[in-house]
Amino acid sequence: WIKRIYADRGYRGNFIEAAKHDFGVDVEITHSNYSGQFVPAKKRWVVERTFAWLENFRRLCRNYEETTDSANEMLMVAAVVITLRKLTSVNNSF
């Protein structure tokens, strides 16, 4: 269900062709246009913001889990908590 991956310049080369060939996924490399001011790269700020939110959870800031299944479940729990916090803060503003 993933159709496009946004990556930085570290993922050039064989990664792009392998992702397209093996998984049918387009890879778009974002380039930095630094001009002395902060300008968020296309779509990258969404990923960075999400990682920052997830690092607020103790069990996600380090690799405490023994299996990938339990790590995935902790990620899902964190996503539910983040979503519930957003919903309750919106409802409390009325």
Side-chain angles (χ1 to χ4, degrees):
W1 49 271
I2 295 175
K3 297 186 191 288
R4 176 169 291 163
I5 296 174
Y6 294 97
D8 61 8
R9 291 179 293 179
Y11 291 98
R12 291 179 292 187
N14 295 339
F15 174 75
I16 297 172
E17 289 83 20
K20 183 68 172 173
H21 179 267
D22 296 343
F23 302 107
V25 175
D26 291 327
V27 177
E28 183 176 327
I29 304 298
T30 58
H31 301 283
S32 115
N33 296 331
Y34 186 71
S35 61
Q37 291 181 336
F38 173 74
V39 178
K42 179 181 177 182
K43 302 281 184 176
R44 190 185 306 172
W45 68 272
V46 175
V47 174
E48 297 294 335
R49 178 193 65 194
T50 304
F51 286 155
W53 288 342
L54 292 173
E55 283 191 9
N56 289 327
F57 292 86
R58 182 184 65 81
R59 286 181 67 174
L60 294 178
C61 69
R62 301 265 192 285
N63 190 9
Y64 293 118
E65 308 303 322
E66 292 186 18
T67 65
T68 55
D69 288 336
S70 65
N72 191 26
E73 293 301 321
M74 286 309 302
L75 186 62
M76 292 298 187
V77 168
V80 168
V81 170
I82 290 170
T83 304
L84 288 174
R85 285 181 183 163
K86 287 181 169 295
L87 288 174
T88 57
S89 68
V90 170
N91 290 336
N92 288 337
S93 64
F94 291 109

